Amino acid sequence: MVGEGEALVACSDKSMKIGVKVWDLATGQNLLHIPTCASPPFGFLCLRNRFLVASQINKHGSVGDGAIVVWALNKPQQPLLNYTVEAIGPLSCTEDGIYLVGGALSGNAYLWDVTSGELLKTWSAHNRSLNCMLFSNDNSFLISGSDDGMICVWSMISLLDVEKTGSLPSPLHCLPGHKSSITGLLTTPSSYFSILVSSSLDGTCKVWDFISGRLEQTQIYPLAITSIALHHRERLLFYGTENGTIIVNKLDVGLEGGPSVVTVGQPLELKGHNGAITALTSTQVGLISASEDCTVCVWDIISWEIIRRFSLQKGKVTNLVVVPRSSVLSTSNQRRVSNQYPISPLNKYPQLINLSKGTTTLLSLRRLYKENQTCIDLRSTGFSRQKISGSQKADMPVAMTIQMKVDTEIQNRVWATNMAKHVMVINKQLQSQLLELIQRRLFCPNNINFRKTSRKKLKIQSLELEEENQKP
């Protein structure tokens, strides 16, 4: 059954009456309608599969007069309205739903602890408006893209450093690869490779190693790319274009040599919309696309046909989110799960931090990296490799300790990536040598004669050995 157990959430950006609509992907049934929401692209997400979070710019293009609104999916109630210093565009949250980041039209970024509502960090991330923001799969890095084509990679440890609350954090990398506005960012779920895929209105799609900052591949298309999505199971990349066509390509990153440039000739194209693609997302069985023609299409990735179509009558869909269908149902069990991680009102301004006795701590790092293979904890065994005694740790500034920890984690990630690439190259070489050996044995014309000759030689050698042993 198509989309069994899943629900599709779609949000518009212009009309507050259209708002948010939730459909059952299996039956097409309308499950929920929230008529008081209008969110810009990447300004809408589902938090812990229990809450819908949307940034709302009441006056389009203005710097002020903005808010972040939170609705509970499983219990009808009044939304939680959070006013911000300036209008927030893109939003992103960590996988555990504890940290929320928002990007402003001015280029400023804001980081909140959702459970306490505390505004942990405010900094100038870009010189132009922020278009999209994304956490890495292990929540250790934040990636941001702006209207001028710049991409920045930020370490979460440095952003959560309480001692540096009043200072401006510096990015780990600045990736100036695009010549126009960033329209999409996504990372692969692999634990060994730090792959970032970015798209832009300049018609290019770039693949990066965001830990080293190295550009791996550039794909050039004849049309502006307006949205991208990745199907993790099939490792398929989908590119939405300005004319309504969806381009399908395989995620294939080279392991050898320098950056490669690929000019796409005639790739697989999906045509089902009459306007520019505004949003893309993937589900268990396929692809979901939205367009300026006010329609949402569900595509089967086997037949590449549209298996379901939704219409919003009037209004452009800017955000698509797939959630478990059970999240929309109101049950006592779901309410109990939601109460374990409460949603607090977000503070408009940062709170003053009392650094008494010259000591400070990191905020909720154990929660952020709990049960994660790249666990970052000041008490972890990995940090003991720095060979620092207890007395030295006590005298060492916290900022230096954090920086050393960041450097260690980056080195470990780079080492793991290089080792994985090296092993894959060796495997390919072994496979090619094995294939050559098999071909030689199968297609050698003297193969049978060679075997007979070898057997005769072995018999002669064994007889000679027997005669030598029988001699006195």
Side-chain angles (χ1 to χ4, degrees):
M1 183 176 292
V2 177
E4 184 175 4
E6 293 181 321
L8 174 64
V9 185
C11 176
S12 176
D13 70 333
K14 293 182 178 180
S15 175
M16 296 288 285
K17 294 181 179 180
I18 296 174
V20 176
K21 288 192 175 182
V22 184
W23 294 287
D24 188 331
L25 277 175
T27 64
Q29 178 187 359
N30 191 354
L31 301 178
L32 182 66
H33 179 219
I34 302 175
T36 56
C37 178
S39 181
F42 303 102
F44 185 86
L45 56 86
C46 187
L47 189 71
R48 308 179 199 137
N49 286 331
R50 295 292 180 267
F51 303 94
L52 296 178
V53 183
S55 60
Q56 296 194 4
I57 303 176
N58 297 332
K59 294 181 180 180
H60 185 68
S62 64
V63 177
D65 200 14
I68 296 177
V69 189
V70 181
W71 294 271
L73 265 175
N74 58 357
K75 185 179 180 180
Q77 59 185 16
Q78 290 296 323
L80 178 63
L81 188 61
N82 306 277
Y83 291 102
T84 53
V85 175
E86 54 183 324
I88 299 295
L91 294 173
S92 184
C93 66
T94 53
E95 186 177 357
D96 55 12
I98 293 178
Y99 295 98
L100 176 72
V101 65
L105 301 179
S106 64
N108 293 332
Y110 298 82
L111 179 64
W112 287 274
D113 183 333
V114 177
T115 58
S116 65
E118 184 177 358
L119 179 58
L120 303 177
K121 201 79 170 182
T122 301
W123 75 100
S124 178
H126 290 267
N127 296 325
R128 297 283 296 275
S129 173
L130 279 160
N131 289 352
C132 44
M133 307 187 79
L134 177 72
F135 284 99
S136 61
N137 291 293
D138 61 358
N139 300 327
S140 57
F141 295 94
L142 173 66
I143 305 167
S144 58
S146 71
D147 197 45
D148 59 2
M150 180 69 70
I151 300 172
C152 290
V153 182
W154 311 86
S155 168
M156 279 297 290
I157 294 183
S158 61
L159 294 179
L160 293 174
D161 182 7
V162 180
E163 193 177 58
K164 290 186 177 181
T165 300
S167 62
L168 295 177
S170 57
L172 176 65
H173 294 295
C174 288
L175 311 177
H178 292 286
K179 298 180 181 179
S180 186
S181 177
I182 303 296
T183 57
L185 295 172
L186 57 86
T187 57
T188 60
S190 173
S191 58
Y192 297 105
F193 298 102
S194 306
I195 299 299
L196 168 69
V197 183
S198 60
S199 64
S200 171
L201 291 178
D202 61 7
T204 63
C205 179
K206 296 181 180 292
V207 182
W208 312 81
D209 183 338
F210 65 86
I211 296 297
S212 63
R214 183 172 181 264
L215 176 63
E216 299 286 348
Q217 188 179 97
T218 300
Q219 298 177 5
I220 302 176
Y221 295 90
L223 297 170
I225 302 175
T226 55
S227 183
I228 57 174
L230 173 66
H231 195 281
H232 296 302
R233 187 183 64 189
E234 302 294 337
R235 296 186 67 82
L236 293 175
L237 278 172
F238 302 98
Y239 310 97
T241 62
E242 60 183 351
N243 69 347
T245 301
I246 302 172
I247 300 173
V248 184
N249 200 357
K250 198 80 173 178
L251 179 60
D252 185 15
V253 182
L255 298 176
E256 301 176 357
S260 60
V261 178
V262 180
T263 302
V264 180
Q266 293 182 347
L268 176 62
E269 296 182 354
L270 306 180
K271 297 182 179 180
H273 291 286
N274 296 323
I277 303 299
T278 56
L280 291 173
T281 190
S282 62
T283 180
Q284 294 177 359
V285 295
L287 170 73
I288 305 176
S289 60
S291 170
E292 289 183 347
D293 61 8
C294 306
T295 63
V296 177
C297 295
V298 182
W299 303 79
D300 185 277
I301 61 172
I302 304 299
S303 63
W304 300 117
E305 295 181 353
I306 298 176
I307 53 181
R308 194 171 298 280
R309 186 187 294 266
F310 301 98
S311 177
L312 267 75
Q313 297 177 356
K314 294 181 180 180
K316 179 179 66 175
V317 176
T318 54
N319 295 277
L320 293 173
V321 178
V322 176
V323 299
R325 188 182 184 279
S326 58
S327 300
V328 187
L329 305 178
S330 178
T331 64
S332 58
N333 183 41
Q334 288 180 347
R335 286 194 294 269
R336 191 161 52 247
V337 172
S338 299
N339 291 332
Q340 293 178 2
Y341 301 97
I343 298 293
S344 300
L346 302 180
N347 292 339
K348 189 173 183 179
Y349 302 101
Q351 296 180 352
L352 295 177
I353 300 175
N354 183 18
L355 299 177
S356 60
K357 299 181 181 181
T359 61
T360 184
T361 57
L362 293 179
L363 294 175
S364 306
L365 279 182
R366 291 187 60 82
R367 288 185 300 171
L368 180 61
Y369 298 100
K370 183 176 64 176
E371 298 179 357
N372 198 299
Q373 63 179 5
T374 56
C375 180
I376 299 178
D377 187 355
L378 294 180
R379 295 175 292 178
S380 65
T381 56
F383 189 65
S384 63
R385 280 178 287 183
Q386 299 293 336
K387 298 181 180 179
I388 302 175
S389 63
S391 59
Q392 288 175 328
K393 287 182 181 179
D395 298 333
M396 181 178 295
V398 175
M400 185 182 298
T401 304
I402 294 172
Q403 186 60 46
M404 292 178 66
K405 184 58 185 174
V406 172
D407 295 340
T408 302
E409 291 299 327
I410 292 174
Q411 291 175 3
N412 292 339
R413 290 283 294 271
V414 172
W415 178 85
T417 301
N418 292 335
M419 285 299 297
K421 291 181 178 180
H422 182 64
V423 170
M424 292 183 68
V425 171
I426 293 176
N427 287 337
K428 284 187 176 181
Q429 293 175 351
L430 291 175
Q431 289 176 2
S432 62
Q433 292 177 3
L434 180 60
L435 288 174
E436 290 179 1
L437 182 61
I438 293 174
Q439 289 176 354
R440 288 177 183 177
R441 290 187 176 182
L442 290 176
F443 300 103
C444 180
N446 299 323
N447 192 20
I448 298 176
N449 296 330
F450 174 77
R451 291 179 182 175
K452 291 180 178 180
T453 305
S454 300
R455 290 174 182 173
K456 290 180 179 179
K457 288 182 178 180
L458 289 174
K459 287 182 179 180
I460 294 171
Q461 291 176 357
S462 61
L463 291 173
E464 291 177 352
L465 288 174
E466 288 180 359
E467 290 178 356
E468 291 181 358
N469 293 331
Q470 290 176 358
K471 290 180 182 181

